[in-house]
Every structure is written in structure tokens, then in C-alpha cells.
Amino acid sequence: MLGLFKLILLAIVGIIIAGIVFFSNIFYDGTISKDGIVNTYNHFLQDTSVNGLTRDNKLEGKRKFGIDEYVGTYKANYNNKTKEETIFGGTVLDRENGNTITLRIKVEKQSGSIEVVSNPGTESEVLISDTGEVEKTIDIKEKSYYLKIKVTDFTGNVEIVAE
């Protein structure tokens, strides 16, 4: 019961802080700025969307982010694992570092099944599902975007470079 109370209290404090930040950022010279509203909303989306990523300590491999959570490197050696990991991504209206991401994925499968899945917006695309390599450019403008690995009884290696 005490845990639920703490969670509710943290949520209330978070909402109050977000409201203060939101209203302080949308006003410019005593007037409401359209750009201020859009920028504040964009930053809010970016800040909250990283919660959809798998935490580093829960990943099977080693992830190193690049300039943001959309890009970086990931290397993993799976040994008969069944799990789903969200490696890179987030939600943004207009990414400061460009709205395209180039992926280079290499999978060396020994057994089991694997899918490396790109989720731009409401669509889902399996980029690779067996041993091999793929290179793909993804447009993420005004979308949620996540790169996921889904493995079932999988043994093998995965390397991802997202730029």
C-alpha cells in the first residue's frame, strides 16, 4: 500500500514540475509563443519516450548510445535465450539530429529464431530473421520509432550500428 502511495505522490510531483516547465517555456515576452508550445511538446515527447527502451541492465548485450537514444551500437551473444529487447528509439516531432537513421545489422544465427524489427509509427517491418546482413534507412519524422530484437530459444550473435 505504501508503494502505491509513493507512486501516486511521485506522479503528482512530476505533473506539477512538467506543468511549471511547460508554461515557463511557452511564454515569451508575456505572450504565448507557438514555437514555444511545439518545442516544449517535442521535448516532452523525447523525455518520456525513452521509458520504452529496455534498460541496460536487462539487455543481453552491450549498448552504447550515440548522440541520442535513436543511434549507437549494440552487440550481443545470445545463448538459448527467449526475450524481447527494445534497443534504440523514441518519439519525436522533429529530431534535432536529422529525421533519418541508417541501420546496419548483422546476425549470425546458430539455432532458434530471431527477428530484428523496426517500428516506425504504427507500422512494423522485420528487417532480418536469419543469418545475414542488412542495411536500411528509416524515416522517423513525426513518428514513434523503436528498433526491437525478438528471440526464441536463440543462440547466436547480433551486431547493430544505427547512425
Side-chain angles (χ1 to χ4, degrees), residues 54-87:
T54 303
R55 297 188 193 291
D56 287 341
N57 64 343
K58 300 287 185 187
L59 290 172
E60 194 64 28
K62 178 80 172 145
R63 170 179 56 201
K64 183 177 178 186
F65 288 119
I67 53 179
D68 59 20
E69 290 81 11
Y70 291 84
V71 295
T73 59
Y74 181 72
K75 291 183 180 184
N77 300 315
Y78 296 89
N79 187 11
N80 198 33
K81 292 292 179 178
T82 298
K83 66 189 315 185
E84 181 176 323
E85 302 175 312
T86 304
I87 309 301

Side-chain angles (χ1 to χ4, degrees), residues 142-157:
E142 299 175 355
K143 298 177 187 171
S144 288
Y145 163 76
Y146 292 97
L147 183 69
K148 298 180 179 189
I149 297 175
K150 299 176 183 180
V151 293
T152 305
D153 301 322
F154 179 75
T155 298
N157 303 316

Side-chain angles (χ1 to χ4, degrees), residues 70-71 95 97-102 137-141 163:
Y70 291 84
V71 295
R95 185 170 166 256
N97 302 305
N99 292 313
T100 58
I101 295 174
T102 300
T137 300
I138 308 288
D139 177 26
I140 63 166
K141 185 174 176 77
E163 302 177 307

Side-chain angles (χ1 to χ4, degrees), residues 86-119:
T86 304
I87 309 301
F88 298 114
T91 302
V92 67
L93 293 176
D94 194 19
R95 185 170 166 256
E96 291 177 13
N97 302 305
N99 292 313
T100 58
I101 295 174
T102 300
L103 300 169
R104 287 189 302 283
I105 303 166
K106 180 179 179 182
V107 174
E108 296 172 343
K109 179 177 115 172
Q110 295 171 5
S111 64
S113 64
I114 182 171
E115 287 186 338
V116 180
V117 180
S118 172
N119 292 104

Side-chain angles (χ1 to χ4, degrees), residues 13-31:
V13 169
I15 291 170
I16 290 169
I17 291 171
I20 291 168
V21 170
F22 177 78
F23 285 110
S24 67
N25 285 332
I26 65 170
F27 287 98
Y28 178 76
D29 290 338
T31 61

